[in-house]
Amino acid sequence: MSNGHHHHEVKGTTTISDSVVASIAGIATRDAVGVYAMGGGFTRTLGAARDMMARSDDVTRGVKVEVGEKQTAVDVDVVVEYGYPITRTTEDIRTGVSEAVESMTGLEVAEVNIDVLDVHLAGSDDESGESSRLR
């Protein structure tokens, strides 16, 4: 069934930059259940961590990628919400990142390495920025 248009393969190359892969991986990581924050230095800034996370436009924070011609490797640093099984959260991250990156870029995800930097206890953030124990 031809509609009169002939489709021929147009030659050319497509290059997907590291930052594109890092953005996709970062968004997929944030979507994983149990992820509180990404990157280092969050839990020490008591109070503002959740707000910073919500307002942060940098989806690549805590994400490092290596992109080859056909494969990519992803490293992510996360802070996990207390009470969530870390093994389930990291499996969720791996699955989400590999599915998102592979479907959007066509690159095979060789590995997703996850560094769990800390655990965040809900309600431990304090408006004044200091622990309530120290008052």
Side-chain angles (χ1 to χ4, degrees), residues 7-37:
H7 293 287
H8 65 281
E9 194 175 322
V10 178
K11 303 256 183 263
T13 61
T14 302
T15 305
I16 297 168
S17 76
D18 290 15
S19 63
V20 169
V21 175
S23 293
I24 295 166
I27 292 165
T29 299
R30 285 183 175 191
D31 286 346
V33 174
V35 173
Y36 172 73

Side-chain angles (χ1 to χ4, degrees), residues 40-120:
F42 273 106
T43 52
R44 298 295 157 250
T45 61
L46 291 165
R50 178 65 83 176
D51 293 340
M52 268 174 35
M53 179 72 181
R55 277 190 247 124
S56 172
D57 291 331
D58 184 11
V59 296
T60 63
R61 182 185 174 99
V63 181
K64 290 187 286 300
V65 299
E66 278 180 56
V67 181
E69 271 181 55
K70 293 182 169 47
Q71 287 189 317
T72 184
V74 179
D75 296 332
V76 294
D77 295 340
V78 297
V79 176
V80 174
E81 222 29 286
Y82 179 82
Y84 287 89
I86 291 173
T87 51
R88 193 173 311 148
T89 297
T90 55
E91 204 47 54
D92 206 19
I93 292 168
R94 272 192 192 90
T95 302
V97 167
S98 65
E99 286 176 358
V101 171
E102 287 178 7
S103 69
M104 291 185 71
T105 67
L107 291 164
E108 178 193 332
V109 177
E111 58 185 23
V112 177
N113 300 305
I114 302 161
D115 195 359
V116 179
L117 302 176
D118 208 342
V119 173
H120 175 261

Side-chain angles (χ1 to χ4, degrees), residues 44 46-47 124-135:
R44 298 295 157 250
L46 291 165
S124 66
D125 291 348
D126 185 82
E127 294 302 308
S128 69
E130 58 186 292
S131 168
S132 54
R133 282 187 310 205
L134 301 178
R135 287 203 183 130

